[in-house]
Amino acid sequence: MNLALWIAAGLLAAVALTGGITKAFVPKEKLAAITGGGWTDAASVGFVKTLGVLELLASAGLILPAVLDIAPVLVPVTAICWVLLMVGAMITHLRHDEAKFIGVNLVYLAVAAFVAWGRLGPESFLG
C-alpha cells in the first residue's frame, strides 16, 4: 500500500509540475492556442499564473514533506487541496463547454483522494 501511495503521489506531482510550469511560464495567448482556447480566453493573465503557482506548490507538497520528513502531514493536506482544485476545474470546464476534460480531472481527483485517504488512514505519516 505504501508503494502504491508513493507512486500515486509521484504521478500526481508530475501532473501538477507539468501543468504548473505551463500555466506559470507560457504566455496566456500561447497557452490558449495549445489548449484550444476555452477557459483561458475568459481568465485573466494573473488568474492563470496564480493557478500555475498553486500547481507548482502542489507538486512540491505532494512529495517533499514526506521525503524530507518535515511536516509530512502536508502530503494529505495537499492531496485534499488538489481534490478541491479538480472540483473547480470540472466546474470551469462545464461552464465553458469543455466536457472532454472532465474525465481527466475526475481521474486526477480520484488519485488525489486515494493519496489523502491513504496518508490520513492506513499508511499515515502521523504515527
Side-chain angles (χ1 to χ4, degrees), residues 43-56:
S44 69
V45 173
F47 181 74
V48 174
K49 301 280 184 214
T50 300
L51 282 178
V53 170
L54 288 174
E55 289 185 15
L56 291 173

Side-chain angles (χ1 to χ4, degrees), residues 58 60-66 70-81 125-126:
L62 286 164
I63 301 295
L64 291 180
I70 299 173
V73 72
L74 290 177
V75 173
V77 170
T78 303
I80 291 167
C81 291
F125 289 129
L126 303 178

Side-chain angles (χ1 to χ4, degrees), residues 48-127:
V48 174
K49 301 280 184 214
T50 300
L51 282 178
V53 170
L54 288 174
E55 289 185 15
L56 291 173
L57 291 172
S59 69
L62 286 164
I63 301 295
L64 291 180
V67 169
L68 299 175
D69 197 27
I70 299 173
V73 72
L74 290 177
V75 173
V77 170
T78 303
I80 291 167
C81 291
W82 188 264
V83 167
L84 296 174
L85 186 68
M86 289 301 102
V87 169
M90 288 187 286
I91 291 168
T92 301
H93 288 308
L94 273 175
R95 286 183 179 168
H96 294 281
D97 296 323
E98 298 174 330
K100 61 186 175 189
F101 296 118
I102 292 174
V104 175
N105 295 137
L106 197 55
V107 169
Y108 296 155
L109 184 148
V111 173
F114 171 69
V115 171
W117 167 80
R119 291 304 180 200
L120 288 172
E123 291 290 334
S124 176
F125 289 129
L126 303 178

Side-chain angles (χ1 to χ4, degrees), residues 6-22:
W6 274 107
I7 291 170
L11 290 173
L12 214 55
V15 167
L17 183 64
T18 304
I21 289 172
T22 304

